[in-house]
Amino acid sequence: MRIGLIGTGRIGSFHAGVLARHPGVASLVVTDPDATRAAQAAGRTGATAVADAAAVLAAGVDAVVITSATASHAALIGLAARAGLPAFCEKPIALDLAGTLGALREVERAGSVLQLGFMRRFDAGYAAARAAVRGGALGRLHTVRTATSDPAPPPAAYLPLSGGLFRDCLVHDFDILRWVTGREVVEVYAGGSDAGDPVFRASADVRTAAALLTLDDGTLATATATRCNGAGYDVRMELAGERDQIVVGLDDRTPLTSVEEQGPPAPAKPWAGFLERFAPAYEAELDTFLRVVRGESANPCDGREALHALRVAEACELSRAEHRPVRLSEIADA
């Protein structure tokens, strides 16, 4: 197959390397608004760099992978759909519901394929947790806790464009909560803190956030996130049921130190970032996308999944702003 990749920033360059190594990819065409960056990515991977997204489509590609700036996602999804090309897009589709729904309508009108990049669904630990929950190993689930902690904030210029901590970061937790438990969020109560570096306040964002989520079967979940976890990159999910409890993301690299005498020591090499922690998951999701393009697999994460997670994030933002619980029914999706 000939694959087009639009966007050669940090995640785009990573995906370019994965695609270039994949035995099912015969050639790769890349582009980026920064022509130098695109040329560098092409040089590293043996790809062909072209001027823009239109040139990628004109190069006779069989599918496109969208890893450009968030603000461009919806338009590029529409471009691919109108060309009849399957598309893989990093989350989110858009930073608001209107943009997300508009892009989804384009895909539905064209009858094309859109797979979203929620990579945690392809992580072995989360898959095992899903099997345990769905198989009844935990008994009735009563409590879920998720934590996403970045070791350092992104560049200041990125923050005003990110959509905020709930939409940009915690949206992964909201998606994986639905995927692992098979339940829907019906109510949220969220808060955040912009204490510390004034760059967060200047961009109307928070650097630390917490949400209490009620699922449709009464299960309670908490989701926390921070941009400033000096110990390292920490992503975990704890699930407690009436019969047993399990955790995803606890290993000898988890940046967590016990103060108990018999507790495990501090990790010698804590996880440094998301590309390192989830590298196998990123590779697995792209391999699955290529199998979807070849007609060998069903789409495991279509655009509607992104819509569900975004609605939870929107409810959290409203809850934070108005200091009250918010029902998901308040967040219109049409």
Side-chain angles (χ1 to χ4, degrees), residues 9-15 90 119 233 271-283:
R10 181 167 55 166
I11 188 65
S13 292
F14 181 88
H15 284 336
E90 279 298 330
M119 79 291 188
Y233 181 72
W271 294 109
F274 66 93
L275 285 178
E276 184 184 31
R277 164 67 177 84
F278 286 108
Y282 280 119
E283 295 193 21

Side-chain angles (χ1 to χ4, degrees), residues 6 53-54 57 74-85 106:
I6 304 172
L57 269 59
L76 291 171
I77 288 169
L79 187 69
R82 292 190 295 276
L85 289 173
E106 291 249 40

